[in-house]
Structure formats: C-alpha cells, structure tokens
C-alpha cells in the first residue's frame, strides 16, 4: 500500500472530522457539550461547551489499543508501518484540532488519523451484528449503546429484515436489501444493474436466474443462513445509474423474492417507513444496517476519487471482515430535501460509517422510536459521500408495494 502520508489532506473531509470531534455527544440520551480538550473555533457548537468528553489522551489510548489488536491482511512490516503512521497522524491531527488549525493545513496522514480516532472511539463505529443484535459492550460502541439498548426490541426487527444479495461470482454478493412486503425487497438500481440486464423494451433479466439469492442472516461467524431465491424485478428507477452519482436519478429498485424457496424459514417481516416528509431532520440520530464490502484498490489512470486512500487504510486496519451484517450509528448531516444540487428534493446526507456493500442499506431513525426507516442509502464512504433517498418523499414509488408505508 503506497500512501503519501505527508501530502495535503482533503480540507472538506478534515473539516467534517474536526466538526464531529468537537460536536456534542450524548450523556444518558441527552446532548452534552464540546470536547473539553478542544477549544471553540467560532462554530455553532460553541454554545454547547459545558460538558467534557474524552480527553485527547484517552482518544489516543483507545486508538492505540485498537491498533494493537487489529490484524490487517498485509505483511507484518507493512502492518507496523501503517499503524505507526496512523497513530502519529492522530496525535498531530488532534493537536491541530485543539489549536484551531485551518483544515487546509492538515496532511493526509493527519486526516486518516482523525478518521481512525472517530471509528475507534465510538463517534461513528461499524458494529458487527451477531445473534440478531450488536454487542452492547463492544469497546468502540461509545455512547451509542444507550440508545441502541433502549430500542433493542424494535431494532432487532429492523435488522432481521435486512438481507445480503448473493451471486455466484466474486465478491459473491452485490449489495444490501430490506423487506418492504411479503416476497419483495428494496435495493438500489445500481445494485440491480450488477445482477440483471435490461433490454430495449425495458424488461429485466437476471444474469444468474438460478443462483441469485437473499440471505437475511449473513452474520460474522454464523453458519446459519436463510436464503431465498430472487425471481425477478418488480420496479426500477427509470434512469440508468451506470456506476455514477446523479441526484436527479432514482437509485432504487424492488426485487421479487420467492418466500416458498426456503420452506424451513419464515420470510422476514417488512420494515415500517417514515411518512413525515420533513424527516429525517438535520442532527437527528440514525443507524444504517447493511453489508459493507471491501473497497476497490485504485488501479486506473488519473487521480483516485476523494476519500479513496482514507477508506483503503481504515478498512485495511479495522474492517477486514467484509460482506457480513453490520450496524453503523450516525447523524443526519443535511436534512430531507436540503442537499445541494438535489432538484428532486428526495435526498438527505448522513455520516454513518459505510463502504461499498452498504448500497441498498436501510437508514432507520434512532432519535424517535428506533423503528421507522427514514431513507434508502445509495452512496457513501465514511464522511465523504453519504447520501440516501428520503423514504417519505418516495411515497408514490413505494405505496404500491408496501402496506406499511401508508399510515
């Protein structure tokens, strides 16, 4: 892994990470204040600077412990070098945040170090799902355990409705989906384009009609599986996605799944959709359930996309089990219909930790009842490009398929 740790960082990414580290975290479900180790820098967060969060030393100690127990799939020499660079970047990056250093003055190593702190200190963890729920004692769960435990019963129901779309070619799965009605699951159109082909008349044909399934377990370490056969396409957004991001295009599809193809297991219950078109609102808490996949190594000419190196390093260190079910809590960064260049007013932005396989994940509320799905995730990598279609603004697209969507 060749990384120029000393080149200039992406200022926007650094600004997002620094803002997150300064922002209040919850204490008993209520907002606390700025981290005591960080000085207010003229942001809106300054008004909340009354309660202390983890100290800089505590953050570095937690990161050091996480690095000591991680086992990246690279050589021992490369492991040690990467860990040293990440810890050094975190140390100097936190110091710069504390001193109010402008984002443009950070290095890539410091950018990656801050991202590592955020992931391992509980600000934005990516938690394994095992036996239908997350480990509330996980060292990186941070303060999220309070809300997750409070809504555990209903969150379990949401988790059980989320499946992995398996295919017979590497990397053996295409994305995430979740149940909207008996025999129907929703995913992204760009996921559909990986498993099926559309002819000139608009008819879709599965590329592997006898070997495309949905597994609603897919947990790390689990030998169990509840696979149901995908039989066709019930709906697809009208515009091709072609592995690009266009806010004017609906990146959504609904697949038909045969409940009778697995007679030993009941088909999971559908999720309940949010119907309020102003939801989700900025700063509201949420969680994403899906199957993060291994990021692609950049092997093309030209400049890699923003955030590529950060994602590559972080996933190498901490996310070296891919394609298994995870829950990632986070916050709504930009509310429903308020994202720039979203002329359809059907997108929101969030900062939960995600990777490519999260395409098609459900985004559920964690501020209210923990049960309602507020959005369909379609693009993201950590805090670089986390976007989702707002569920309540897709009523005309979903109401024909999901009785739970209509109040």
């Amino acid at each position: 892994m060749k990384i120029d740790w000393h080149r200039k960082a992406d200022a926007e990414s650094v600004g997002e990470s620094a803002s997150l580290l300064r922002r209040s975290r919850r204490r008993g479900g209520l907002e606390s204040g700025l981290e005591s180790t960080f000085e207010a820098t003229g942001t809106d967060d300054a008004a909340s600077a009354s309660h202390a969060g983890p100290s800089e030393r505590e953050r570095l100690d937690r990161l050091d412990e996480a690095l000591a127990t991680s086992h990246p799939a690279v050589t021992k020499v490369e492991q040690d070098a990467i860990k040293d660079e990440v810890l050094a970047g975190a140390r100097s990056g936190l110091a710069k945040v504390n001193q109010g250093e402008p984002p443009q003055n950070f290095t890539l190593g410091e950018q990656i170090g801050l991202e590592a702190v955020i992931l391992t200190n509980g600000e934005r963890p990516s938690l394994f799902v095992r036996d239908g729920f997350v480990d509330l004692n996980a060292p990186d769960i941070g303060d999220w355990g309070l809300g997750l435990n409070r809504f555990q019963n209903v969150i379990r129901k949401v988790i059980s409705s989320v499946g992995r779309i398996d295919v017979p070619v590497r990397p053996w799965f295409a994305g995430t989906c979740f149940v909207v009605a008996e025999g129907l699951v929703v995913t992204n159109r760009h996921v559909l384009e990986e498993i099926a082909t559309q002819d000139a008349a608009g008819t879709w044909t599965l590329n592997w009609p006898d070997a495309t399934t949905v597994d609603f377990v897919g947990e790390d370490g689990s030998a169990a599986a509840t696979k149901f056969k995908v039989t066709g396409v019930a709906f697809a957004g009208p515009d091709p996605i072609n592995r690009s991001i266009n806010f004017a295009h609906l990146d959504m599809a609904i697949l038909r799944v045969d409940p009778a193809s697995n007679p030993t297991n009941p088909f999971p219950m559908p999720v309940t959709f949010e119907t309020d078109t102003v939801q989700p609102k900025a700063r509201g808490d949420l969680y994403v359930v899906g199957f993060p996949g291994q990021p692609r190594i950049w092997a093309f000419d030209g400049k890699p996309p923003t955030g590529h190196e950060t994602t590559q390093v972080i996933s190498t260190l901490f996310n070296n089990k891919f394609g298994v079910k995870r829950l990632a809590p986070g916050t709504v960064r930009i509310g429903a219909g308020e994202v720039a260049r979203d002329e359809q007013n059907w997108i929101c932005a969030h900062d939960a930790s995600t990777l490519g396989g999260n395409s098609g994940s459900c985004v559920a509320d964690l501020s209210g009842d923990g049960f309602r799905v507020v959005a369909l995730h379609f693009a993201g990598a950590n805090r670089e490009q986390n976007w989702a279609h707002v569920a309540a603004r897709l009523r005309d697209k979903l109401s024909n398929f999901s009785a739970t969507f209509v109040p």
Side-chain angles (χ1 to χ4, degrees):
M1 184 184 301
K2 295 182 179 180
I3 301 289
D4 181 1
W5 300 92
H6 302 292
R7 74 169 173 80
K8 275 197 169 184
D10 176 72
E12 183 176 356
S13 177
V14 170
E16 288 286 346
S17 294
S19 176
L20 177 55
L21 288 165
R22 294 191 192 101
R23 278 206 307 271
S24 55
R25 283 304 319 134
R26 22 196 92 50
R27 293 291 181 268
L30 300 175
E31 295 293 329
S32 65
L34 290 174
E35 311 285 340
S36 62
T37 54
F38 300 134
E39 297 174 356
T41 57
T43 67
D44 292 339
D45 300 315
S48 304
S50 57
H51 300 283
S55 69
E56 184 175 320
R57 181 70 265 161
E58 288 172 327
R59 291 182 182 279
L60 291 171
D61 286 345
R62 290 177 189 172
L63 174 59
D64 196 18
E65 291 173 5
L67 290 170
T69 58
S70 70
H71 301 286
V74 293
T75 66
K76 180 66 165 62
V77 172
E78 197 170 11
Q79 283 184 36
D80 292 342
I82 293 172
K83 290 178 180 180
D84 288 346
E85 291 286 358
V86 169
L87 190 58
R91 185 179 295 110
S92 58
L94 286 171
K96 285 185 176 180
V97 173
N98 186 27
Q99 295 161 9
E101 194 79 16
Q104 59 268 28
N105 292 349
F106 285 67
T107 66
L108 177 62
E110 290 163 343
Q111 174 185 335
I112 293 173
L114 293 179
E115 187 67 36
V117 167
I118 288 169
L119 185 64
T120 60
N121 278 255
E123 276 86 3
R124 297 297 181 271
S126 180
L127 304 167
F128 288 109
V129 173
R130 296 187 176 99
D131 296 325
F133 198 61
V134 300
D135 179 3
L136 293 172
N137 295 313
D140 57 345
I141 199 169
D143 294 327
W144 294 104
L146 297 169
L148 293 173
N149 185 47
R150 177 186 177 192
F151 298 124
Q152 180 173 166
N153 290 338
V154 293
I155 291 175
R156 281 181 176 274
K157 295 178 181 178
V158 174
I159 290 174
S160 68
S161 78
V162 178
R164 184 183 63 212
I165 302 172
D166 291 344
V167 292
V169 297
R170 290 185 182 277
W172 313 118
F173 78 107
T176 300
C177 64
F178 55 95
V179 179
V180 291
E182 177 79 4
L184 295 170
V185 296
V186 67
T187 187
N188 294 141
R189 171 167 169 141
H190 79 259
V191 173
L192 170 62
E193 291 173 359
E194 298 296 321
I195 66 171
T197 304
Q198 188 179 33
D199 63 21
T203 301
W204 290 91
T205 302
L206 295 173
N207 297 337
W208 306 280
D210 296 322
T212 304
T213 59
V214 175
D215 182 0
F216 289 102
V217 180
E219 297 178 1
D220 177 45
S222 175
T226 56
K227 288 181 177 289
F228 293 84
K229 184 178 179 180
V230 177
T231 59
V233 180
F235 171 84
D239 300 302
I241 304 301
N242 295 328
R243 297 188 178 183
S244 63
I245 297 173
N246 186 329
F247 288 171
H249 294 175
L250 177 60
D251 197 355
M252 184 181 80
I254 297 177
L255 306 179
R256 298 190 187 280
V257 183
D258 182 8
S261 61
N262 189 336
T264 61
N265 290 286
F267 198 76
M269 295 297 293
V271 299
T272 297
F273 286 92
E274 174 62 68
T275 59
D276 186 348
T277 57
V278 303
Q279 296 293 344
K281 293 182 179 179
R283 289 184 171 269
D285 288 339
L286 52 79
Y287 62 96
V288 176
V289 182
F291 296 84
Q294 187 167 11
R296 294 185 178 93
I297 303 301
W298 187 255
F300 307 98
D301 294 331
K303 183 181 179 182
T306 299
H308 169 80
E309 290 171 311
T310 305
T311 300
Q312 184 179 346
V313 173
I314 295 299
S315 63
T316 297
L317 288 173
F318 304 117
N319 297 306
N320 54 358
K321 293 182 179 179
F322 301 104
V324 294
K325 188 176 285 190
R326 291 175 182 256
L327 182 151
T331 300
V332 182
R333 300 294 290 128
I334 306 175
E338 298 176 353
V339 174
R341 302 185 305 280
D342 172 24
E343 297 182 0
Q344 302 287 343
N345 294 321
W346 57 10
I347 293 172
C348 65
H350 67 86
D351 63 8
S353 295
T354 62
L355 289 172
N358 279 109
S359 294
S361 294
C362 71
V363 181
D365 163 67
L366 194 56
S367 292
D369 58 16
F371 192 45
R372 290 163 295 120
V373 169
V374 295
L376 166 66
H377 176 83
F378 67 88
N382 294 317
R383 269 147 296 285
E384 297 298 340
Q385 46 177 345
N386 294 301
W387 298 307
H389 281 300
V390 176
R393 301 196 177 196
L394 302 178
R395 293 188 66 166
D396 60 327
K397 308 294 190 302
L398 287 167
S399 59
N400 291 332
F401 299 97
S402 174
T404 60
F405 191 84
V406 181

